[in-house]
Amino acid sequence: MSALPSVLPSAARRPIRELPDELISQIAAGEVVERPASVVRELLDNALDAGARQVTVRLAAGGVRLISVEDDGHGLPRDELPLALRRHATSKIASLGELETVGTMGFRGEALAAINAIAELSLLSRAAGADSAFALDGRTGELRPVARATGTTVEVRELFFATPARRKFLKTDATELAHCVEAVRRHALARPEVGFAVWHEGKLVEQWRATTARDPRLADALGDDFLAQSVAVEHAAGPVRVAGRAGIPDAARSRGDQQFFYVNGRFVRDKVLAHAVRSAYEDVLHGQRQPVYALYLEIDPARVDVNVHPTKIEVRFRDGREVHQAVRHALENALAAPRAGDAVSVPAAPFFKPRSAPAAPAWTQPAMHFAAERGLGDAAAMWPGQRREPVVAPLSSFSTAAAQDPASAASPVQAPNTDESAAAHGGEAWPLGRALAQLQGIYILAENSHGLVIVDMHAAHERIVYERLKTQLDGAAIASQPLLIPATFAATPQEVATAEACAAVLPALGLEITPFSPRTLAVRAVPGALADGDPVELARGVLAELAQHDASTVVQRAQNELLSTMACHGAVRANRRLTIEEMNALLRQMEATERSDQCNHGRPTWRQLSVRELDGLFMRGR
């Protein structure tokens, strides 16, 4: 059997030499240009920086044979055309100060040079006010006059012809075309005032006409369903402003392929932003479903570093905590309003989804009075006439006065007279309607102006109890239980540093973690509700979370997980018979409770079935 060829480099020493400029540009191209879509992205950045109002992208063979990006921007003067193809030549920055406050899409000055090193590039441009246009051949450097209106056209042919090995890694033409179209879509979502068109093999593939508002562009690029199943986001906190639209939980997908986040108009993928979004959806999203959103963050350019990745798709914030909180609060506020006020149905399986974008109801909901039943281990019965059940763990361990009254979140409500209340509001019907009956001890059937409303009574009441507990215990520390024998473990330097830095935060989580030696930590107390678990694994998990995310976010998440469990046990159970008054009380409470459209686990609490859909089931009018 022959020996395998050695893959190790030769031990012979090779002298240090400067690399040729062409090889340097090809190395740079490997960082900047991954596929045809990378070229499209870079050329679109330049077109938008040039003030273009209409951009046309023409492709052949998915962009491998031809990429042509034509714009109507201010163009380039004749003497600057050769300079544009040189490495690190740019008009967008001239000093370190300008680099630290970049406000343009491009700034590195390497894209055109890198593309020219691996493809056949030609540059046609006419500057504003110039008598004629000129074309530059990137291979030969030949400059000749041509006919063209003001603006620039960049043609890239035979991508990767100089690096055939890279070409082998490309996918099919259809796949590469899809990536190119997605690159244009991302720019189109950021710049609604600019028109975009994509042609492939002489056929129009996509077109987004210029508009004066953001929502029409979102509907044009992402579909009308995106607007119908999303809520507006508008939030300002200090130097950070967040706007856009966030999909309702019912619109979540199995893949995160409709998540668009922009920082000062630049599409980015950032861990801080992604975690902030996920945190805002934690209470309303089921399982591993992925939210859909198009969000736009505006911040002082000096507070964000965009020069951290060759493709400019990653950023670094000066104050990540500030940005994280602003994004999370923006989404939480937008998602909090119950959508029962806009109960027009949208088809969904197995029932039907309510349309989002809720209008503020014209009526006001009188406060629901919960009877206060004092006690530590007991909570009041959920509904009149029912026996008492222990519904929550003892709350005396929470160091807050509100925690001493857990029954207030789970006591019977006094149902208002629905007819009198509706009459008092000009006869306007309640958004979730009037209760008709209870089905199988699980669902409440109600009638509103649109048709039939079906409510999962346990899921709905679970959310109501959960939101009230969160309000009552806001800012409370989680009760801890000291360990008889401290649990020690060998810690990494990062774990030790995190434990020391977060020493003031850990008690709020019910944890006491102290140094035992320079390389060992000791767990001396754990949350009372988790006393039976593994203290070392718990400590490691919390320290890892604290090392990555803001401490206040970790504390709030831990509290919410405990409260969610308590609310689940405290909610009204299936097969409990309710009177019509009790059903109506629950419906009115849902209309006044934040996030009442989903239970604590992200499942829907109600569905709307319109009269038209009911007619369809029975083929009426056919």
Side-chain angles (χ1 to χ4, degrees):
M1 179 181 294
S2 60
L4 292 174
S6 174
V7 295
L8 297 177
S10 172
R13 183 185 180 280
R14 302 178 65 178
I16 298 175
R17 294 171 297 185
E18 290 188 11
L19 295 176
D21 286 343
E22 184 177 7
L23 181 56
I24 293 174
S25 295
Q26 289 176 345
I27 293 173
E31 298 175 343
V32 176
V33 182
E34 178 185 0
R35 61 195 332 150
S38 305
V39 176
V40 172
R41 182 190 65 241
E42 295 289 348
L43 299 184
L44 286 174
D45 285 348
N46 287 339
L48 295 176
D49 287 340
R53 292 295 171 176
Q54 178 64 44
V55 181
T56 302
V57 179
R58 303 182 190 277
L59 306 168
V64 178
R65 297 293 182 189
L66 171 67
I67 299 173
S68 173
V69 176
E70 176 184 344
D71 67 66
D72 60 353
H74 52 59
L76 293 172
R78 178 179 184 273
D79 56 347
E80 291 185 14
L81 288 174
L83 193 60
L85 299 186
R86 294 185 185 178
R87 294 178 52 246
H88 302 298
T90 179
S91 62
K92 298 163 188 176
I93 60 171
S95 65
L96 178 60
E98 292 183 347
L99 177 62
E100 292 176 345
T101 58
V102 171
T104 54
M105 298 294 290
F107 58 90
R108 301 172 69 97
E110 61 182 0
L112 291 179
I115 296 169
N116 189 43
I118 58 174
E120 298 176 356
L121 184 146
S122 61
L123 188 59
L124 294 77
S125 188
R126 180 176 179 176
D131 295 334
S132 61
F134 290 87
L136 175 67
D137 188 310
R139 291 281 97 189
T140 65
E142 178 187 358
L143 195 62
R144 56 187 175 84
V146 293
R148 194 203 188 283
T150 301
T152 302
T153 300
V154 182
E155 290 187 356
V156 179
R157 297 181 182 273
E158 303 300 332
L159 191 62
F160 297 128
F161 87 97
T163 53
R166 293 289 302 275
R167 197 162 185 169
K168 296 178 182 178
F169 288 91
L170 298 179
K171 306 300 182 183
T172 64
D173 290 353
T175 300
E176 297 301 336
L177 172 62
H179 284 285
C180 291
V181 172
E182 184 63 19
V184 182
R185 187 194 312 274
R186 290 173 180 175
H187 285 76
L189 288 172
R191 301 291 294 272
E193 75 280 7
V194 180
F196 295 85
V198 183
W199 295 74
H200 184 251
E201 305 286 0
K203 297 180 180 179
L204 184 63
V205 177
E206 285 284 2
Q207 184 175 23
W208 298 287
R209 300 184 184 279
T211 178
T212 57
R214 181 178 290 156
D215 281 1
R217 173 57 59 86
L218 289 173
D220 198 15
L222 301 179
D224 293 333
D225 287 346
F226 177 81
L227 282 187
Q229 299 186 40
S230 63
V231 293
V233 178
E234 190 70 38
H235 179 78
V240 183
R241 180 176 178 270
V242 184
R245 298 194 70 87
I248 62 175
D250 287 344
R253 303 160 67 94
S254 58
R255 299 172 53 208
D257 56 348
Q258 283 205 13
Q259 298 178 346
F260 302 90
F261 215 119
Y262 297 85
V263 175
N264 292 342
R266 185 190 308 277
F267 176 82
V268 300
R269 290 196 183 98
D270 181 78
K271 292 182 179 179
V272 171
L273 300 177
H275 185 269
V277 172
R278 191 69 195 183
S279 298
Y281 274 93
E282 270 183 341
D283 272 356
V284 294
L285 213 56
H286 182 59
Q288 299 300 315
R289 303 283 289 174
Q290 297 291 325
V292 300
Y293 54 83
L295 298 173
Y296 304 83
L297 185 144
E298 296 179 7
I299 188 172
D300 182 354
R303 302 179 70 85
V304 56
D305 185 4
V306 298
N307 187 31
V308 297
H309 194 277
T311 63
K312 307 183 292 293
I313 201 171
E314 297 179 10
V315 295
R316 182 181 294 116
F317 296 103
R318 178 184 296 179
D319 189 344
R321 179 177 179 271
E322 165 188 78
V323 173
H324 186 284
Q325 288 188 336
V327 173
R328 182 166 60 88
H329 291 159
L331 287 174
E332 285 179 341
N333 294 339
L335 295 169
R339 297 185 301 278
D342 192 26
V344 178
S345 61
V346 176
F351 294 108
F352 299 87
K353 294 182 180 178
R355 190 179 68 191
S356 63
W363 47 269
T364 56
Q365 168 66 30
M368 310 306 293
H369 301 289
F370 287 76
E373 189 79 22
R374 301 288 176 181
L376 298 180
D378 297 329
M382 293 295 97
W383 306 98
Q386 303 295 336
R387 66 181 182 87
R388 299 178 186 270
E389 295 182 352
V391 295
V392 294
L395 294 182
S396 57
S397 56
F398 285 81
S399 56
T400 177
Q404 304 302 321
D405 189 14
S408 63
S411 300
V413 296
Q414 300 297 324
N417 185 301
T418 306
D419 294 332
E420 293 179 1
S421 300
H425 294 283
E428 183 177 352
W430 299 110
L432 290 179
R434 298 176 174 83
L436 300 176
Q438 189 177 14
L439 179 64
Q440 297 292 319
I442 301 174
Y443 300 104
I444 294 174
L445 306 182
E447 177 188 10
N448 66 2
S449 59
H450 301 294
L452 180 67
V453 176
I454 306 172
V455 177
D456 183 332
M457 67 181 193
H458 171 74
H461 194 233
E462 182 181 12
R463 169 60 72 176
I464 294 170
V465 175
Y466 178 41
E467 292 297 328
R468 287 195 169 271
L469 284 174
K470 284 199 300 183
T471 301
Q472 291 175 356
L473 301 179
D474 186 26
I478 297 176
S480 63
Q481 177 175 319
L483 297 180
L484 186 61
I485 302 175
T488 61
F489 63 97
T492 65
Q494 184 180 32
E495 289 173 336
V496 174
T498 303
E500 293 176 349
C502 300
V505 175
L506 290 170
L509 294 170
L511 278 168
E512 183 182 350
I513 305 175
T514 58
F516 190 77
S517 73
R519 297 185 178 181
T520 307
L521 292 176
V523 185
R524 302 184 183 277
V526 298
L530 305 176
D532 295 334
D534 186 337
V536 173
E537 289 299 318
L538 175 63
R540 286 188 182 277
V542 171
L543 290 176
E545 185 98 356
L546 287 171
Q548 293 186 15
H549 308 299
D550 177 53
S552 63
T553 301
V554 178
V555 172
Q556 182 180 358
R557 180 184 300 171
Q559 289 177 333
N560 287 350
E561 287 179 356
L562 292 177
L563 296 183
S564 178
T565 301
M566 292 156 54
C568 186
H569 288 288
V572 60
R573 296 297 181 182
N575 299 318
R576 178 171 292 185
R577 309 307 301 179
L578 305 181
T579 66
I580 293 294
E581 289 76 15
E582 291 166 346
M583 297 180 208
N584 279 320
L586 180 60
L587 296 178
R588 302 294 77 78
Q589 190 71 23
M590 288 176 63
E591 292 162 353
T593 300
E594 292 184 345
R595 304 174 188 87
S596 60
D597 304 291
Q598 271 74 32
C599 75
N600 309 351
H601 314 292
R603 294 186 293 104
T605 58
W606 65 281
R607 285 288 189 248
Q608 174 80 52
L609 196 59
S610 70
V611 174
R612 177 177 296 180
E613 289 158 345
L614 289 170
D615 288 344
L617 291 175
F618 294 95
M619 295 185 289
R620 290 178 59 87
R622 296 187 183 179

